[in-house]
Amino acid sequence: MLPLPVLCAGAGVVGSALYYCWPQGRQTMLRNYERVLPEARTRERQRVARESLANYCRYMVEFAASGNLSPEERLAVGVETPGFEGLDRGLAKGRGALVAPMHFGNWDLGATIAAARGYTLTVVGETFGHPGLDELVVAGREALGVRLVKMERVGPSLVRSLRRNEMLATLIDRPLSEGGVRVRFFGEEVEVPAGPARLALRTGAAVGAVAFPRREAGRIDVLSNFDLDFEPSGDTARDVQALTQAIMSAHEAFVRQYPEQWYMFREFWEPRASAEPSSGR
């Protein structure tokens, strides 16, 4: 019943308070931001980490409210942006488009505006441990006009979607349930899912790194890079690694631009052997 700007303001306050009440998460975020912002002062990394948690709480409020948007309001979610031009060029090739976002900005509003613009979109989603919460999230995403496929149930349907020249979205920085592929991100190795690159190489789909930074309550920008620095070699293992690296390099540029909008509350890099505990004070 409250206006969305009021809800987002309250969510930001909750997120900022949570930063101080969650020492383990705070320390983890600060270790991640040591990689992202190596030249920044400790105080600046603390500010960015605190704002990241606040933005995540704002994201959750926006997602909860997005099911009530009218079709016109859904179209108005995105600011004027050329972010869909690369997607349209990719779909023009007729083999579908695979987009790989991160936990960044508001990816659900990104799906909202894509569906409102008429794109047929399938999203690969995680299953939440609490059944009631999982049902609520599934219903909320399907209400936005997207088809949701659970991560543990992915299969031939994803290939069929791309061969119908549709759009498929799957997060690239999610936790791994099995082996992934090692790439460099902010100068150090990380392991991320290999599935997006494997699927794109198998189908010939256009591939893009996408990000949806929040601009204000309920409004996002759309950033995309479909001109990835990748040329196939014919060696599947090498191409999976190289394409995944190209996706992550594009995301590195997005995170550098908006570090406070990347939501990474677990250890993303392996701990440094000589690392000292980060100060959370």
Side-chain angles (χ1 to χ4, degrees):
M1 296 176 64
L2 294 174
L4 187 57
V6 174
L7 291 172
C8 286
V13 172
V14 170
S16 296
L18 182 59
Y19 173 81
Y20 293 106
C21 298
W22 186 25
Q24 182 179 352
R26 182 174 70 244
Q27 294 294 332
T28 299
M29 284 188 285
L30 290 173
R31 282 191 290 272
N32 286 333
Y33 279 116
E34 284 178 358
R35 268 68 170 223
V36 175
L37 302 168
E39 305 299 326
R41 295 177 179 270
T42 299
R43 187 181 297 275
E44 174 62 10
R45 287 198 293 266
Q46 292 170 345
R47 183 197 66 79
V48 171
R50 184 176 65 250
E51 187 62 16
S52 170
L53 199 49
N55 275 326
Y56 184 69
C57 290
R58 295 178 183 116
Y59 150 71
M60 289 192 291
V61 164
E62 290 171 336
F63 172 67
S66 59
N68 298 322
L69 297 176
S70 68
E72 294 76 15
E73 289 171 327
R74 292 179 185 182
L75 277 173
V77 159
V79 300
E80 290 297 324
T81 173
F84 285 95
E85 293 178 0
L87 173 62
D88 291 336
R89 290 197 306 270
L91 290 172
K93 298 176 182 178
R95 296 183 179 181
L98 189 151
V99 297
M102 295 179 79
H103 289 87
F104 180 103
N106 192 325
W107 57 97
D108 280 305
L109 286 184
T112 296
I113 189 173
R117 284 176 171 235
Y119 296 97
T120 302
L121 173 62
T122 298
V123 173
V124 178
E126 301 175 53
T127 297
F128 293 89
H130 190 287
L133 175 62
D134 191 66
E135 290 177 8
L136 185 64
V137 171
V138 170
R141 286 177 173 159
E142 291 181 343
L144 299 176
V146 306
R147 173 176 174 253
L148 185 67
V149 175
K150 289 298 188 176
M151 195 177 300
E152 61 272 17
R153 298 176 187 169
V154 298
S157 65
L158 301 185
V159 174
R160 290 195 293 267
S161 293
L162 292 172
R163 288 179 175 167
R164 289 194 298 265
N165 201 32
E166 297 173 357
M167 182 178 165
L168 173 67
T170 178
L171 289 161
I172 193 73
D173 63 343
R174 60 175 174 78
L176 291 166
S177 58
E178 55 186 33
V181 59
R182 297 191 72 81
V183 296
R184 295 191 71 79
F185 191 58
F186 285 93
E188 297 187 40
E189 279 197 346
V190 296
E191 190 170 11
V192 296
R198 290 189 187 279
L199 187 57
L201 291 167
R202 176 181 175 185
T203 61
V207 187
V210 297
F212 308 99
R214 298 181 65 262
R215 292 302 193 194
E216 57 187 79
R219 298 292 299 277
I220 58 170
D221 197 356
V222 180
L223 307 179
S224 68
N225 185 345
F226 280 82
D227 299 315
L228 300 174
D229 184 16
F230 168 73
E231 290 293 336
S233 69
D235 182 317
T236 300
R238 179 182 299 176
D239 288 345
V240 167
Q241 195 282 333
L243 180 52
T244 306
Q245 179 64 74
I247 295 170
M248 293 301 291
S249 294
H251 277 297
E252 184 174 319
F254 298 150
V255 175
R256 286 186 189 277
Q257 190 174 1
Y258 301 101
E260 73 286 349
Q261 298 213 33
W262 183 38
Y263 314 134
M264 186 48 58
F265 310 133
R266 61 179 175 84
E267 300 284 358
F268 197 60
W269 288 267
E270 293 178 0
R272 291 169 173 163
S274 59
E276 296 180 359
S278 299
S279 172
R281 294 177 295 174

